[in-house]
Amino acid sequence: MKKFAPIVALALLGLTFTSCKKNYTCKCNYSIAGAPMTQNYDLGKQTKGDANTACENYQSNFNNTVAGAASVSCSID
């Protein structure tokens, strides 16, 4: 029993420092000249924070490219 406790403690400690990565998709809803469209971007396997940042970059790049001719809203799935 004394040998088992340190092993369990190390396993729990290891789980604490692992980041949860999964596949995310950035879903962007566009409205160009009143016509609604949806585009999905595969973000691959990453943390939720990184996926949010990447998705925000898609939205920002789109807004900078069309400069007021359309509106876009992006979020991760």
Side-chain angles (χ1 to χ4, degrees):
M1 186 67 163
K2 288 182 181 181
K3 292 181 181 181
F4 184 68
I7 293 171
V8 171
L10 283 174
L12 290 174
L13 184 64
L15 289 174
T16 302
F17 291 107
T18 58
S19 61
C20 183
K21 291 185 177 184
K22 65 181 232 179
N23 288 318
Y24 287 97
T25 302
C26 181
K27 181 179 181 180
C28 295
N29 296 309
Y30 302 96
S31 178
I32 300 175
M37 300 184 327
T38 300
Q39 180 71 41
N40 293 321
Y41 300 99
D42 181 28
L43 300 176
K45 192 170 188 175
Q46 54 186 305
T47 63
K48 188 173 185 176
D50 289 343
N52 273 324
T53 300
C55 195
E56 288 171 0
N57 287 338
Y58 275 112
Q59 181 172 329
S60 177
N61 289 338
F62 182 85
N63 285 331
N64 290 336
T65 302
V66 295
S71 63
V72 64
S73 174
C74 298
S75 62
I76 60 170
D77 280 342

